[in-house]
């Protein structure tokens, strides 16, 4: 028998039973669109993370207060305030011989406040940091200057504005030399940063940079830092640097047992791995949804094919009477199931693609670089999965059809 | 060499109790070009015999030679190929594919043979013309009258140019006038040389044949040439 006949006949049957076909396809559509969305989300999230990491740099090491499990995120990331990391600890790292291959290290404390200049005011994030911030983050000022080394240890009342803050607060006027007020404290604007956009999942242009000690004492009333970051000269020295940073901090904190660490040191790659485990957990969840809906879809298809076989017993008898072999009948019903499954798959690919595009659109509107990736690979996978579902769930009904006795089938009432 | 040669053919259904013995040892020959009626009351075993002669079933014992070849032990696939190439069936209930065109219906047996699509269409068109339905070529089968449906079925039986055509109660679902038309087509085909076996319980229908094999309770009680043969053109049908 020609496969074309089987295809033509299958399409004919689907067209004449539109409602039934639609209901049968639903399970497949949900299953396959989930497959497409999963793969697009996976690829999109990866592109996002890789972009962020590439922006931050893979030879960066993060230092956070509080210990952590080997694979888990440090407690400080979960929004718990931990005070074990100090500005002096960070300065210790810069002492010659403590951390080899260290290029620069900086510390951060953060807050949000109302910032005003003359009669204008906005809400802005302020970051207390050190002069080496621009070296660690490989950025620079657009205008003026950054925090000076001699200012970071004192309560110097100077501020460097992120480009958007400068724009929002000063519009067309030159902010340099002007005095702004943050929480009733006055700071003199000495510089404006270049535009950076979102880096490390944070918009850098809405920040105000102030010497770290000034923020601790004048604005927050604390004496710890929320995190620190070190730049290592090259990626292959990162692991060694991580160990040396740990050793230095342990010595400073009088810790003998690494299990008692009150800090966490992670390279960008380690952070990426942890992020990867989080996204893959999400992927497993979506994959489970896809698998369940594909099974439900498959069972639906099998059910409808059993009905179709029953309805067409006479037709099967006739086909056998005019010379169809068992294998011809088997092929015919398998082709029909595959056509149903694949049609559902194609609709699912289209819906999955549209949903993925909407997700990408929303995330891009939020300011993140999220690539819409519906790859040929994922379309191929979706099609193969559809065909597989059709074959697996079509086998039983098709075999039942092919085994019918031609005489009984012909005279079936 | 006879087209069909049957020797002490027996058929029973079931291998253990209850066993139904249906044919009790039939012997006869059918030559090329014959028009034979297998006649007998309901339950006498006519359909069972036709199924065996048409390769839809196998005899339990005995010999069945087709074109000199013993086909009684052929496997399912070989029988399917024989059904496809050697025989055509016309059934009482027409058995057309619904919502499918006349041409596609007639083409159906060719779907299972290995010839180019163009040739399939050509052969199907020729068969449709042979039953004078060219004006209905692309009609859907469910839109046809009973007589037209049976003509489509005859065209389908003709399409692969078989050695023999079996017609099982071909007029059973038709009124007498339409039935006569169908018998007329069967006569004409036989005049052109086609071997045809009609299965019927009606003597009136059987008398259109040149020879009647009379079955009763699975045995041949007579096998004679028809002396007072009827013709469709006489309009005496029923
Ligand atoms: N598959 C079968 N199993 C058991 N008995 C059967 C089967 N097919 C036919 N028979 C029996 O064989 C007898 C002859 O049937 P059939 O050949 O259809 O007669 P006819 O066509 O002359 O009416 C009937 O008694 C019928 O019940
Ligand atoms: Mg019968």
């Amino acid at each position: 028998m020609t496969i074309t006949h089987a295809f033509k006949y299958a399409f004919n049957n689907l067209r004449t039973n539109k409602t039934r076909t639609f209901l049968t396809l639903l399970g497949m559509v949900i299953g396959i669109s989930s497959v497409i969305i999963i793969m697009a989300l996976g690829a999109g999230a990866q592109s996002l993370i890789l972009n962020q990491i590439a922006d931050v740099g893979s030879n960066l090491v993060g230092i956070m207060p509080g210990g952590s499990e080997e694979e888990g995120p440090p407690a400080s990331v979960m929004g718990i305030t931990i005070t074990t990391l100090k500005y002096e600890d960070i300065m210790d790292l810069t002492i010659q011989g403590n951390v080899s291959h260290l290029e620069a290290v900086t510390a951060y404390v953060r807050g949000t406040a109302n910032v005003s200049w003359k009669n204008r005011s906005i809400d802005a994030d302020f970051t207390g940091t050190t002069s080496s911030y621009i070296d660690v983050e490989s950025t620079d000022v657009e205008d003026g200057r950054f925090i000076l080394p001699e200012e970071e240890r004192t309560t110097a009342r100077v501020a460097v504005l992120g480009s958007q803050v400068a724009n929002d607060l000063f519009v067309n006027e030159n902010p340099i030399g002007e005095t702004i007020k943050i929480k009733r404290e006055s700071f003199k604007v000495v510089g404006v940063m270049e535009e950076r956009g979102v880096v490390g999942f944070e918009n850098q242009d809405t920040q105000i940079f102030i010497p770290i000690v000034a923020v601790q004492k004048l604005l927050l009333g604390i004496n710890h830092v929320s995190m620190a970051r070190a730049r290592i000269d090259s990626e292959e020295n990162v692991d060694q640097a991580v160990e040396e940073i740990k050793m230095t901090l342990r010595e400073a904190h009088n810790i003998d047992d690494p299990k008692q660490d009150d800090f966490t040191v992670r390279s960008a790659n380690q952070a990426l791995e942890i992020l990867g485990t989080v996204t893959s957990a999400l992927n497993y969840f979506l994959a489970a949804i896809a698998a369940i809906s594909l099974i439900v879809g498959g069972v639906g298809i099998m059910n409808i094919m059993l009905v179709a076989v029953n309805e067409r017993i006479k037709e099967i008898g006739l086909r056998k009477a005019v010379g169809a072999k068992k294998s011809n009948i088997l092929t015919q019903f398998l082709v029909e199931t595959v056509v149903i499954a694949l049609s559902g798959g194609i609709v699912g690919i289209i819906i999955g693609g549209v949903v993925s595009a909407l997700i990408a659109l929303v995330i891009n509107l939020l300011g993140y670089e999220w690539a819409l990736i519906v790859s040929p690979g994922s379309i191929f996978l979706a099609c193969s999965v559809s065909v597989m579902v059709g074959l697996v769930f079509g086998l039983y009904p098709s075999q039942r059809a092919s085994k019918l006795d031609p005489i009984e089938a012909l005279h079936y009432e | 060499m006879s087209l069909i040669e049957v020797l002490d053919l027996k058929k029973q259904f079931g291998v253990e109790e209850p066993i139904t013995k249906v044919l009790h040892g039939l012997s006869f020959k059918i030559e090329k070009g014959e028009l034979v009626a297998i006649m007998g009351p309901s339950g006498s075993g006519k359909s069972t015999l036709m199924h065996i002669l048409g390769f839809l079933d196998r005899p339990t014992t005995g010999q069945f030679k087709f074109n000199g070849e013993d086909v009684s032990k052929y496997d399912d696939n070989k029988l399917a190929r024989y059904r496809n190439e050697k025989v055509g069936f016309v059934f009482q209930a027409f058995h057309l594919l619904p919502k499918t065109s006349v041409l596609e219906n007639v083409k159906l047996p060719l779907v299972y043979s290995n010839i180019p699509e163009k040739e399939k269409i050509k052969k199907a068109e020729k068969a449709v013309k042979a039953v004078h339905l060219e004006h209905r070529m692309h009609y859907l089968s469910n839109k046809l009258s009973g007589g037209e449906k049976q003509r489509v079925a005859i065209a389908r039986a003709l399409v692969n140019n078989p050695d023999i055509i079996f017609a099982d109660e071909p007029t059973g679902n038709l009124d007498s006038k339409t039935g006569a038309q169908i018998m007329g087509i069967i006569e004409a085909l036989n005049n052109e040389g086609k071997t045809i076996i009609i299965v019927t319980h009606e003597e009136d229908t059987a008398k259109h044949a040149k020879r009647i094999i009379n079955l009763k309770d699975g045995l041949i009680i007579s096998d004679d040439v028809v002396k007072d043969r009827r013709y469709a053109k006489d309009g005496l049908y029923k």
Side-chain angles (χ1 to χ4, degrees), chain B residues 13 20 22 41-48:
Chain B
F13 291 102
T20 321
V22 179
S42 185
S44 56
K46 306 180 296 290
S47 295
T48 304

Side-chain angles (χ1 to χ4, degrees), chain A residues 37-294:
Chain A
I37 294 168
I38 289 166
M39 297 197 59
L41 282 184
Q46 196 160 12
S47 76
L48 173 67
I49 292 165
L50 288 179
N51 279 336
Q52 294 292 326
I53 296 292
D55 287 349
V56 177
S58 57
N59 45 351
L60 286 190
V61 173
I63 304 154
M64 283 134 298
S68 68
E69 301 285 319
E70 191 65 36
E71 291 302 318
S76 53
V77 175
M78 313 297 232
I80 300 163
T81 307
I82 299 173
T83 58
T84 50
L85 201 60
K86 304 283 192 293
Y87 172 68
E88 291 70 28
D89 294 333
I90 307 311
M91 287 304 107
D92 260 8
L93 299 176
T94 61
I95 295 170
Q96 194 82 55
N98 274 354
V99 183
S100 43
H101 306 292
L102 180 78
E103 275 195 345
V105 62
T106 188
Y108 310 75
V109 281
R110 293 224 160 94
T112 304
N114 191 271
V115 179
S116 63
W117 174 68
K118 288 189 177 163
N119 56 356
R120 227 173 271 149
S121 80
I122 58 167
D123 284 321
D125 301 323
F126 57 85
T127 298
T129 189
T130 67
S131 57
S132 51
Y133 172 88
I134 50 176
D135 301 321
V136 172
E137 302 262 346
S138 45
T139 181
D140 210 344
V141 289
E142 181 79 47
D143 257 325
R145 64 167 177 85
F146 199 69
I147 300 163
L148 300 175
E150 54 267 32
E151 287 168 340
E152 64 183 56
R153 286 187 169 274
T154 65
T155 54
R157 293 168 181 270
V158 294
V160 179
L161 306 183
S163 61
Q164 200 179 317
V165 176
N167 245 332
D168 290 349
L169 205 53
F170 289 90
V171 194
N172 291 324
E173 287 170 77
N174 183 6
I176 297 194
E178 298 294 324
T179 301
I180 57 170
K181 280 207 148 130
I182 305 174
K183 284 190 177 175
R184 293 208 203 96
E185 302 289 340
S186 300
F187 293 87
K188 193 174 139 197
V189 177
V190 294
V192 175
M193 297 301 289
E194 61 185 14
E195 216 178 296
R196 275 183 93 193
V198 177
V199 179
F201 300 101
E202 243 168 345
N203 190 344
Q204 304 296 323
D205 300 335
T206 57
Q207 306 278 328
I208 299 173
F209 300 93
I210 298 168
I212 187 159
V213 174
V215 170
Q216 285 177 329
K217 300 231 163 100
L218 300 175
L219 296 177
L220 296 174
I222 57 172
N223 69 347
H224 64 271
V225 304
S226 24
M227 70 165 289
R229 223 173 238 164
R231 176 173 289 279
I232 311 305
D233 61 0
S234 81
E235 208 180 327
E236 55 265 28
N237 297 323
V238 164
D239 288 346
Q240 192 196 335
V242 166
E243 282 316 305
E244 288 170 347
I245 291 170
K246 284 181 184 171
M247 305 278 271
T248 309
L249 291 176
R250 270 178 212 138
E251 201 166 310
H253 293 190
N254 289 320
I255 296 167
D256 298 324
D257 179 4
K259 287 202 181 79
Q260 305 294 318
D261 280 354
D262 55 4
F263 55 85
T264 300
V265 184
R266 286 259 164 78
S267 68
N269 284 335
Q270 285 172 314
L272 183 63
E273 274 165 30
I274 289 164
L275 212 51
T277 57
V278 175
T279 49
S280 71
L282 186 70
N283 272 354
Y284 282 130
F285 174 69
L286 289 171
I289 291 179
I292 291 167
S293 38
L294 284 174

Side-chain angles (χ1 to χ4, degrees), chain B residues 50-95:
Chain B
M50 185 197 85
H51 293 150
I52 293 170
L53 299 180
F55 309 108
L56 284 163
D57 206 352
R58 294 181 196 84
T60 309
T61 60
Q63 215 175 46
F64 168 27
K65 283 187 176 174
F66 191 85
N67 272 329
E69 194 160 334
D70 189 352
V71 296
S72 54
K73 301 277 188 295
Y74 275 18
D75 66 18
D76 286 351
N77 281 346
K78 248 181 169 171
L79 289 180
R81 192 154 56 79
Y82 264 58
R83 288 199 295 275
N84 188 233
E85 292 170 0
K86 314 285 187 195
V87 301
F89 291 100
V90 177
F91 303 101
Q92 176 173 359
F94 320 131
H95 285 304

Side-chain angles (χ1 to χ4, degrees), chain A residues 304-360:
Chain A
I304 230 69
M305 287 313 290
L306 285 173
V307 172
V309 168
N310 251 343
E311 277 177 351
R312 277 146 63 186
I313 287 183
K314 279 194 164 187
E315 175 199 321
I316 295 161
L318 171 71
R319 285 177 183 272
K320 288 200 157 185
V322 301
K325 297 183 182 118
K326 269 187 190 155
S327 58
N328 297 136
I329 302 295
L330 188 78
T331 311
Q332 180 191 329
F333 280 91
L334 273 184
V335 164
E336 195 163 323
T337 351
V338 168
V339 165
I340 293 177
L342 197 54
S343 317
I346 288 167
V347 175
I349 289 171
I350 293 167
I351 290 176
V354 169
V355 171
S356 306
L358 288 178
I359 292 174

